[in-house]
Amino acid sequence: MSARTKFFLTGLATVIGGCCLQLYVTLSKDVLFNGIQFCSSSSSDLVLGTMALFASAIFSGFIASLIVVRDNFWPHLFISLGIIAKFLLVALCGLWSGPFWFEVGLHCSLLAGLWLGWYGAAKFPLAPV
């Protein structure tokens, strides 16, 4: 594979993985659970909503990994930097919906799910070589 093709696939996987992550997080957080907020959501909504966010990140990491070859982790690194930048923006502007540890947990679950999706796609028997 040429360097140009690898660069193109990395960019494409980053854009598609980031868009999938945003779409699935919005669907699970705002549509299925009507906005997960620490103070106003029930305990079951918090648990199920957080698990849905984690599953969304796993699925997005899996999709981004299937676009590029197995050994290419750059899209996941760029998406992870985007998640960290979003968290820093939320932290600096004070726009979180609960305590600081709750927001840290949500963003850490997104990061862990994204990389778990990468790992799952790397171990998936039909992944491109």
Side-chain angles (χ1 to χ4, degrees):
M1 179 181 317
S2 69
R4 178 181 284 175
T5 305
K6 192 170 185 175
F7 182 75
F8 173 73
L9 287 177
T10 301
L12 184 67
T14 302
V15 169
I16 290 176
C19 289
C20 285
L21 182 67
Q22 186 64 35
L23 173 71
Y24 296 137
V25 164
T26 301
L27 284 175
S28 61
K29 188 176 181 181
D30 294 332
V31 175
L32 293 177
F33 295 100
N34 294 327
I36 299 171
Q37 294 184 350
F38 184 77
C39 297
S40 62
S41 296
S42 66
S43 297
S44 63
D45 280 348
L46 288 175
V47 170
L48 292 174
T50 304
M51 287 181 3
L53 289 175
F54 184 66
S56 300
I58 290 174
F59 191 64
S60 298
F62 189 81
I63 287 174
S65 221
L66 288 182
I67 294 172
V68 296
V69 289
R70 273 189 207 176
D71 297 333
N72 192 348
F73 60 89
W74 288 103
H76 298 80
L77 184 66
F78 293 139
I79 296 170
S80 295
L81 290 175
I83 292 170
I84 292 169
K86 178 189 171 275
F87 173 71
L88 291 175
L89 181 69
V90 166
L92 290 175
C93 296
L95 299 174
W96 49 60
S97 60
F100 183 71
W101 61 267
F102 179 70
E103 289 294 327
V104 169
L106 284 179
H107 287 85
C108 286
S109 72
L110 287 177
L111 289 171
L114 184 73
W115 286 99
L116 188 63
W118 170 77
Y119 181 75
K123 296 299 178 183
F124 190 59
L126 299 176
V129 178

